[in-house]
Amino acid sequence: MRILSTITLLLLTAMLAFTTHAQEAGSPQKPLRVMLIPADGGTEDGTKADFQPLFDAITRSSDLHFTVSTGQSYAAVIEAMCAGLTDVVWYGPASYIEARDRGCAQLLAVEERNGSSTYYAGLFVAADSDVNSVFDLSGGSLALGSSHSASSFAYPLVMLRDDGLDPLKDLSALRITGSHTNSLLALKNGLVDAAGASFVSFERAVNQGSLDPRAFRVLTKSKPIPNPPIAMNTALPADIKAKLKRAMANVHEAEGIGPAAIRGYGGKLVDRYNTEVDETLFDSVTSATSFLDDDYMAAILRKADAAQRG
């Protein structure tokens, strides 16, 4: 009887250990929840398709499993992480800083290509526009993306400011469209005189046939912006964070993983994901956009709202 009791106890212990392991974060039964900002409109066949190959590759090269989804807005993705509803997020630089400063996001990795971890935003005008300088936009209108976006909102405003133009005083109207692509489409359809967007999103829209590049002209280009980072929820267990870092850092060298799986912003192939980057990479964003305080942002949004109500 005593032997039987011992065997039963051992079996129960083994079953409990198996069940506990199966329910660990990153297991098939409890996959890590990945959410992506809707950089190009948030379509399931858009932004999600860009990053699904990467997370599938990490699953094949490690014991971590994921579910990948795209948020409805930049703000919704920030709130999802801070509410504990997602574990891993691909952010824009500005939205990452907002989530980080709220204490819910921790830097995981930044995509790298040819040794560079930066990208650019631009102010675009119609090819036949008589606007030839930022100053020529005085009295004109501008389309911007999400207010949480670095390259379709913050940096277009930085470019105006650097050239001595105040959008609150010097522009007739602002239009907040919610995404890079929507801003470029507003310009294409003659609704605004200029649009702010990243060059990655512009190229993507061109490659998808949404835009004819001959219809646009680059008015000015931003300073380098840190690539949109991938972040972890600060509430994740330390061992899961360590596993994520190892898996992300090594996936480009893993056996059986082809280079086509290592993709990033806009679906572009990248060389690797750098997990050794420091928070100081984002200091340039904080410095460049420091004038966008709560009062200034509120004034920008009021001006956009007034234009919409028209």
Side-chain angles (χ1 to χ4, degrees), residues 97-166:
I97 291 170
E98 182 176 342
R100 180 198 68 187
D101 290 350
R102 289 176 59 178
C104 55
Q106 179 180 340
L107 186 60
L108 172 58
V110 175
E111 65 185 62
E112 188 177 286
R113 186 166 61 161
N114 299 324
S116 173
S117 293
T118 59
Y119 73 119
Y120 295 88
L123 288 174
F124 297 82
V125 296
D128 59 357
S129 171
D130 57 3
V131 173
N132 295 305
S133 70
V134 171
F135 188 77
D136 290 341
L137 278 176
S138 183
S141 56
L142 174 68
L144 300 167
S146 166
S147 60
H148 299 277
S149 169
S151 52
S152 70
F153 187 92
Y155 272 80
L157 294 178
V158 170
M159 287 183 271
L160 293 180
R161 181 183 176 89
D162 286 350
D163 279 8
L165 213 63
D166 184 343

Side-chain angles (χ1 to χ4, degrees), residues 277-288:
V277 291
D278 190 80
E279 290 287 352
T280 55
L281 177 67
F282 297 93
D283 287 351
S284 62
V285 180
T286 302
S287 175

Side-chain angles (χ1 to χ4, degrees), residues 68-88:
V68 181
S69 64
T70 304
Q72 293 302 304
S73 68
Y74 284 61
V77 174
I78 295 170
E79 293 303 325
M81 177 163 269
C82 290
L85 301 177
T86 189
D87 304 305
V88 178

